[in-house]
Amino acid sequence: VNFASDNAYGVSAPILDAITRANEGAARAYGADEITKRVEAGFAALFEREVGVFLVATGTAANALALSAVTPPYGAVLCHEEAHINVDECGAPEFFTGGAKLVTLHGEGAKIAPESLTAALDGLTPGNPHQVQAAALSLSQASECGLVYSPQEVRALAGIAHARGMAVHMDGARFANAVAGLGVSPAEITWRAGVDVLGFGATKNGALAAEAVIVFDKARAEELMFRRKRGGHLWSKGRFLAAQIEAHLQDGHWLDCARHANAMAQTLADGIRRSNVARLAWPVQANEVFPILPRTVHERLQAEGFVYYEWPGTQPADGKIGPDEVMVRFVTSFATREADVERLLRTLRAG
Ligand SMILES: Cc1ncc(COP(=O)(O)O)c(C=O)c1O
């Protein structure tokens, strides 16, 4: 049973059907097809305003392209030290921006603390030719520890960034889980709170491989048009990206998938709390659960064939992991079955 990641699971049935339907006949290439047009209109409706929409196949490309549209080569992108763009993207943001510098910030649960942002900005002087120029703030929604930023928190951080003339980027690889967890509208947690460019993730939430860069500032849209092609992400058969996203958005499928994943995470978290066997490093606000397990329990789960990652390196809220303990990460998905969650909990409680 796999709790390693939400992308360990496959494609949801409506999305797979949509890919099959898109396979009928011919269509215009390079995003000039009818499905892509409908997706653009769909995002405008979802975000309650005009938006620029750029479909790509990976979250890394979405992040790196989005950042490249708001950061000059001599710019600084401020992000949490544990952010995916800093830890897990092999320098793609630096590559796509032509060499911008990632400046890392601190904060509990992989969320940026405003004081950390302010302190970093105090160390970067605008106009100083010896220093990179603060250009973008990047927020992961949900964070790498499965926590969400509330609209108020986004607004506060975005306010600090905008006061310095910076753009605000949101890595929304798990945007759906965050929106479902927060119970807010997509508009409220993005542009209304100060986000300028968003990576709207679908792959982890039931798509085959599709993400959308959503640009709220129209002036940056043309830039992205060229950068996507230059970065090798303008698919000639773009209708297959669009078909995935169309089905994802259709009748709120994206939120249904995310709500299921989040509900499975809550069931898992409740069971762990009640077990008195392990404790949770952070509250569960999306679809990731970080328990601190006795090593014996970890070994039992592994022996029973449960697949998940150990999560060393991140300090839990209470600051302590004992020598006989292991912090791990369980991720639930649109396809996680309740029976598998119950089995995991039974194994965890046994003995
Ligand atoms: C927070 C976050 N951002 C971005 C990505 C990148 O997605 P991809 O693996 O499709 O490049 C991931 C994937 O693990 C992620 O967890």
Side-chain angles (χ1 to χ4, degrees):
V1 181
N2 198 304
F3 288 93
S5 185
D6 25 18
N7 57 18
Y9 284 85
V11 184
S12 79
I15 295 178
L16 206 50
D17 289 349
I19 295 170
T20 307
R21 278 198 307 279
N23 197 34
E24 284 160 24
R28 294 183 70 186
Y30 298 111
D33 61 278
E34 292 306 313
I35 312 177
T36 301
K37 285 198 189 115
R38 291 201 298 269
V39 163
E40 287 164 357
F43 273 123
L46 190 73
F47 285 101
E48 305 171 46
R49 59 170 288 167
E50 245 186 89
V51 289
V53 178
F54 298 89
L55 304 185
V56 297
T58 71
T60 300
N63 281 338
L65 280 170
L67 289 169
S68 76
V70 295
T71 314
Y74 51 85
V77 175
L78 285 82
C79 64
H80 195 277
E81 57 197 333
E82 290 173 44
H84 200 270
I85 60 169
N86 185 47
V87 179
D88 279 314
E89 297 190 358
C90 195
E94 292 91 330
F95 180 59
F96 277 57
T97 54
K101 183 181 172 77
L102 300 194
V103 173
T104 57
L105 309 174
H106 312 292
E108 181 63 38
K111 282 173 66 181
I112 294 168
E115 323 70 85
S116 177
L117 174 59
T118 309
L121 288 175
D122 286 347
L124 292 174
T125 310
N128 179 348
H130 304 285
Q131 289 191 313
V132 284
Q133 298 294 294
L137 169 68
S138 180
L139 307 174
S140 304
Q141 180 74 308
S143 86
E144 281 68 17
C145 294
L147 298 179
V148 295
Y149 289 95
S150 68
Q152 294 80 352
E153 288 173 319
V154 174
R155 201 170 298 118
L157 290 163
I160 297 170
H162 287 158
R164 284 283 297 253
M166 299 160 67
V168 178
H169 163 251
M170 184 170 271
D171 173 351
R174 296 195 176 89
F175 184 71
N177 303 97
V179 167
L182 284 160
V184 294
S185 73
E188 208 179 334
I189 197 62
T190 56
W191 63 274
R192 285 205 179 108
V195 174
D196 299 296
V197 57
L198 163 74
F200 181 100
T203 309
K204 289 181 190 295
N205 194 34
L208 190 155
E211 316 270 311
V213 180
I214 305 294
V215 190
F216 299 109
D217 177 357
K218 268 290 203 190
R220 307 204 198 256
E222 187 174 341
E223 173 101 14
L224 261 163
M225 182 175 82
F226 296 118
R227 286 187 176 273
R228 179 178 55 174
K229 174 67 185 183
R230 188 170 184 261
H233 262 267
L234 178 61
W235 278 27
S236 61
K237 295 187 182 179
R239 71 184 191 273
F240 290 103
L241 286 179
Q244 297 175 62
I245 299 281
E246 184 172 45
H248 196 230
L249 298 183
Q250 185 85 42
D251 300 326
H253 180 55
W254 69 292
L255 279 178
D256 290 342
C257 286
R259 283 193 192 110
H260 174 81
N262 290 7
M264 290 299 97
Q266 285 303 337
T267 304
L268 191 49
D270 289 347
I272 291 170
R273 262 187 237 105
R274 276 202 302 267
S275 74
N276 292 324
V277 167
R279 62 189 193 284
L280 297 176
W282 296 285
V284 174
Q285 299 177 340
N287 65 325
E288 295 176 278
V289 184
F290 292 84
I292 298 155
L293 304 173
R295 189 165 290 281
T296 50
V297 172
H298 169 57
E299 285 165 358
R300 188 191 315 138
L301 289 170
Q302 298 225 304
E304 289 290 322
F306 290 98
V307 181
Y308 53 88
Y309 287 114
E310 286 187 47
W311 214 255
T314 308
Q315 280 299 310
D318 70 6
K320 293 183 288 292
I321 300 177
D324 297 327
E325 293 183 318
V326 188
M327 182 150 111
V328 305
R329 183 186 81 162
F330 297 135
V331 188
T332 52
S333 84
F334 76 97
T336 299
R337 294 180 309 182
E338 189 150 12
D340 290 335
V341 172
E342 296 300 343
R343 222 189 103 203
L344 189 147
L345 288 172
R346 271 200 306 279
T347 311
L348 184 124
R349 284 191 299 257

